[in-house]
Amino acid sequence: MESLSETTWDVLISGTGLQQSLLALALSRSGKKVLHVDRNEYYGGSDAALSLQEAEAWVKRVGKGRKSSPDYRPSLTVQGSPSSDFRDASISAPEDGNSDKPKLSFSRAYSLSLSPQLIYTRSPLLPVLVSSKVYRQLEFQAVGSWWVYSPATVESDGGEEATASLRRVPSGREDVFMDKTIDRKSKRSLMRFLKFVGDYEEHPVLWQDSADVAFPDFLVSSFALPEALHAPLLAISMSPDDPRNTTTAFALAKIARHLRSIGVFGPGFGAVIPKWGGGAEIAQVACRAGAVGGGVYVLGRGIEELSPAEDDEEKVMEARLQDGEKVKARWIAGSCYDLPSEPESPRLSAPADGRPFLKSISIVSSPLASLLPTTAEGAPPPAGAVVVVPTGSLPVPEGIAPPIYITVHSSDTGECPVGQSLLFASVLSTSTTNQALLDRATAAVLAAVAEEAKVLYTLRYTQRSSPSTSPSSPSTSPSSPSTSPSSPSTSPSSLPSLGASEQIVLFPPPSPLLVFDDGILDRVRDAWMTTTRGGPTSGEEQGAAFMVFEDREAEAEAEADGDVDEELGG
C-alpha cells in the first residue's frame, strides 16, 4: 500500500464530527480519493459518545486534575483551548462504602454523548439517511413526553405547602380536553392557538407585527392565554433563552415544528434519538460507509499545518500531520477546531465565542419509568423524555436564570445498564447560571419524580457557541460553509474561509442546542458540490443526486451484467 504522502488526495477531511462524517458519506460513491483524519483516537469529534474511561481520558488530555470536595473522587478539569469547543470539564462520583447501594457498572456499559440532540421526525436528515442506505445500520427510538417542573408552593393563607411536581405537556387536542388542571375558558384559548400555529405562515397578518415581540406578550394580547399555559408552550419551543428574550417569530416556528412532527412515523411521538450514542453513532456509520467507498481513515493524527503545495500542474494544498508526515490534497474540509490556527492570520483563528452553554451528564440509579409512559394507543415505548425547569423555578442570588433542559435517556438507548438512566442537563451560560445550578435542577427533578434515585456519576462541562449559532440570532438556518476568502465576521451569512486559499471548506462549529441543526445538510451539500464539481452552484441535476445511492449489491450486479454484455458483444 502506498504511503499517505505518495497520493494526491482529492479531498482531505479533518475531524470526524457529524458535519465532516456526512461529507465523507456523500463522497463515498463519488470515486474521489478521500483521506479522513482526526486528532482524536475516537470517532465523533464534538459529537462523540464516550465510555467512562474515555470520558476521564478526554478530561485529562486537555486539563489537569483537581479535587472538587472531600466527598468526591478527584475531579478533572478542562481549561479549554482554541482547538476545542469544550472547556471547564469535571468528573465527580460520590464515594459510598455501602455495598448494598447502587453502583456504577463497568466503563463500556455507558455511552455518554457530549452533544446529545433529539431529531424531529420531519428533519431532512432522516430521508437522507434512508436514500444513502445507511439507515439499515442505525436504530432510532421515540422521545415521548415533555414535562414542566413546578416548584413547591405555599398557599397565601398559610395552608399546607404543595410539593414540587412535574406536569406533562399536552401533545395534542385530546390531551388538552382531558387535562383537568386547565379550566374551560383557558382550554378554548389554547385550542385557538394550536389551530392557528398549525399553519401560522398562512396568516401573517395575525403575527408578523409581533414577530420581534416577547412571545408571552403575544400569547396574552392575541389569545388571552393565562400565564400558567406559557411554560408548556415555551417548553416545546425548546428556546434556551428566558421568555422575555424569546421572540414570537422564533417560538411559533419551533412550536409548529414540534406539533407537525407528531404522528409522522407513528402515534404519540414527534422526535427520535439514535440508539447507542446519538449523533456519534450516525457519524461512525457515515465514516464506515466512507471507508467501504474507498476512503482512508487515520485516527490520532490531526492536521498541524497547512500551506500551498509546489505543483506546476494544479493548485494543491499540503498538510503536515501531527506525526510530521506531509500529504497533498486538492480540497481540505473541516471546522475551525479541526484545522490549524495561526495567530498572525485572523482568518485562521477560531471564531469569537457566542454565548456558551453549561452542560452535565448524570448517571442515575433508577430507570425513571414514570417519565416514560406510552403516550398514545399503538405508540412505541419511549426511550427518551424532556424535562424543562422554567425560568424562575429555582432561585438564584441575583436576577433570573434561563430555562434548564434535562433530557432523560433510558437503558433502552443502549447508553447505560438496565435499571439506570442518563440525565443530560443544559442551560445557557449567563451571569446568573453556574454548574451548581444544573446540579440543583437535576436533584429537584429527581425529588419531584418521587422515585428513589441517586446520582452515581456526573460529567460537567461548558460547550462554546459561535455567534452564528447563538440563540439570540433570529436565524433558524445557520450558514453554509464558506469557500471564498473574507474578513472575520460574526454574520451567519459570511463565515470566514481559511487563509487566502479557495481550496479550504470551513464548517462552522457544531451547534450546542438540544435539537439537531437541519442546516448541517445544506452545508454538507454545498461542500459536496464544491469538492466534486468545483463550485456550490454546479447545477440542479447534481444537487438532486445528493446522498441518493443505489444498493451496493444492485451496483455490483449491474456492473457484472455490463461485463457479461461486453464479453458477449466481443
Side-chain angles (χ1 to χ4, degrees):
M1 178 180 176
E2 294 180 344
S3 68
L4 301 181
S5 59
E6 293 175 338
T7 300
T8 298
W9 303 92
D10 293 307
V11 186
L12 168 57
I13 304 175
S14 181
T16 55
L18 198 51
Q19 297 179 107
Q20 297 99 311
S21 299
L22 289 174
L23 175 58
L25 172 61
L27 292 168
S28 65
R29 307 288 185 97
S30 66
K32 300 292 184 180
K33 295 179 182 178
V34 178
L35 174 62
H36 200 163
V37 302
D38 195 317
R39 66 174 182 272
N40 299 309
E41 297 287 349
Y42 51 81
Y43 289 92
S46 299
D47 302 294
L50 308 174
S51 67
L52 300 187
Q53 186 174 353
E54 288 169 336
E56 191 163 332
W58 174 70
V59 174
K60 284 181 177 179
R61 187 166 51 253
V62 289
K64 57 183 179 180
R66 65 175 173 83
K67 288 183 180 290
S68 58
S69 78
D71 299 325
Y72 287 82
R73 293 189 301 203
S75 178
L76 308 170
T77 301
V78 178
Q79 299 300 330
S81 70
S83 64
S84 171
D85 55 348
F86 298 108
R87 63 173 187 244
D88 305 328
S90 65
I91 296 174
S92 61
E95 294 282 8
D96 194 334
N98 190 334
S99 59
D100 295 331
K101 294 290 185 180
K103 296 186 181 297
L104 290 172
S105 185
F106 60 95
S107 172
R108 300 208 70 82
Y110 301 92
S111 183
L112 309 182
S113 175
L114 296 176
S115 300
Q117 293 182 323
L118 59 87
I119 303 169
Y120 275 103
T121 56
R122 288 196 179 273
S123 169
L125 173 66
L126 299 179
V128 161
L129 296 177
V130 172
S131 66
S132 62
K133 311 304 181 187
V134 297
Y135 72 97
R136 295 167 179 152
Q137 302 171 54
L138 294 165
E139 185 175 343
F140 292 91
Q141 295 176 304
V143 179
S145 300
W146 265 247
W147 303 85
V148 176
Y149 172 82
S150 296
T153 58
V154 178
E155 298 295 334
S156 57
D157 59 2
E160 292 186 4
E161 179 179 352
T163 59
S165 61
L166 296 178
R167 178 181 174 186
R168 184 171 173 269
V169 177
S171 59
R173 296 180 181 182
E174 286 188 19
D175 286 349
V176 172
F177 282 123
M178 295 179 65
D179 194 328
K180 297 180 180 179
T181 66
I182 307 175
D183 62 64
R184 185 175 300 178
K185 182 179 178 181
S186 297
K187 284 183 178 179
R188 286 198 297 266
S189 297
L190 182 55
M191 292 304 298
R192 282 180 53 233
F193 173 78
L194 294 177
K195 182 179 180 181
F196 154 75
V197 80
D199 61 350
Y200 79 98
E201 300 96 335
E202 303 299 321
H203 308 285
V205 68
L206 298 180
W207 65 275
Q208 280 194 343
D209 288 344
S210 303
D212 297 324
V213 171
F215 184 54
D217 292 344
F218 173 75
L219 292 176
V220 172
S221 62
S222 299
F223 293 92
L225 276 173
E227 185 177 356
L229 294 179
H230 295 183
L233 294 173
L234 286 162
I236 61 176
S237 79
M238 300 293 284
S239 171
D241 229 325
D242 67 74
R244 305 308 310 172
N245 291 322
T246 298
T247 65
T248 297
F250 175 93
L252 290 179
K254 304 308 182 186
I255 292 171
R257 172 188 63 186
H258 181 96
L259 296 175
R260 292 168 184 171
S261 296
I262 296 174
V264 171
F265 293 132
F269 71 99
V272 295
I273 46 179
K275 191 173 181 178
W276 309 115
E281 186 68 9
I282 298 176
Q284 190 155 341
V285 166
C287 289
R288 192 178 302 139
V292 171
V296 175
Y297 281 78
V298 180
L299 298 182
R301 293 168 68 186
I303 298 177
E304 285 287 303
E305 184 180 344
L306 285 173
S307 60
E310 295 182 6
D311 194 307
D312 296 332
E313 297 182 1
E314 59 179 332
K315 295 175 66 175
V316 176
M317 295 293 293
E318 184 175 79
R320 179 170 60 81
L321 303 182
Q322 285 174 298
D323 63 352
E325 185 171 10
K326 295 181 179 181
V327 297
K328 294 180 180 180
R330 297 177 178 88
W331 288 98
I332 311 287
S335 78
C336 59
Y337 296 128
D338 296 294
L339 295 172
S341 174
E342 296 183 4
E344 66 270 17
S345 177
R347 288 174 297 185
L348 286 170
S349 300
D353 276 355
R355 291 184 290 175
F357 283 73
L358 305 177
K359 296 190 174 186
S360 70
I361 306 173
S362 297
I363 301 173
V364 176
S365 65
S366 168
L368 301 179
S370 61
L371 295 179
L372 301 165
T374 301
T375 52
E377 184 178 354
V386 178
V387 181
V388 184
V389 180
T391 294
S393 299
L394 298 178
V396 293
E398 296 181 5
I400 59 173
I404 300 166
Y405 288 84
I406 300 178
T407 306
V408 181
H409 287 198
S410 77
S411 61
D412 288 342
T413 62
E415 298 170 352
C416 63
V418 174
Q420 298 182 7
S421 55
L422 299 181
L423 300 187
F424 299 87
S426 174
V427 67
L428 186 62
S429 179
T430 69
S431 60
T432 62
T433 59
N434 53 35
Q435 286 288 356
L437 183 63
L438 287 184
D439 293 346
R440 288 172 55 203
T442 299
V445 167
L446 291 178
V449 173
E451 294 183 19
E452 186 176 348
K454 176 185 176 183
V455 175
L456 304 175
Y457 170 103
T458 301
L459 169 62
R460 304 176 184 88
Y461 54 97
T462 299
Q463 185 172 5
R464 291 177 171 133
S465 170
S466 74
S468 65
T469 58
S470 172
S472 61
S473 170
S475 172
T476 58
S477 297
S479 64
S480 298
S482 172
T483 57
S484 60
S486 64
S487 59
S489 169
T490 59
S491 168
S493 61
S494 56
L495 285 171
S497 68
L498 288 183
S501 172
E502 295 183 0
Q503 296 164 264
I504 301 176
V505 178
L506 178 66
F507 289 110
S511 169
L513 301 181
L514 299 176
V515 178
F516 174 76
D517 172 17
D518 290 338
I520 281 179
L521 290 178
D522 294 329
R523 297 192 287 272
V524 172
R525 181 186 289 106
D526 283 353
W528 170 73
M529 295 179 76
T530 298
T531 55
T532 55
R533 293 288 181 89
T537 56
S538 300
E540 295 182 3
E541 184 177 347
Q542 183 192 4
F546 175 66
M547 296 275 207
V548 178
F549 302 151
E550 295 291 334
D551 285 319
R552 289 196 179 274
E553 295 80 0
E555 286 185 343
E557 289 178 7
E559 185 176 343
D561 289 343
D563 292 341
V564 170
D565 290 342
E566 185 175 343
E567 289 179 11
L568 292 175

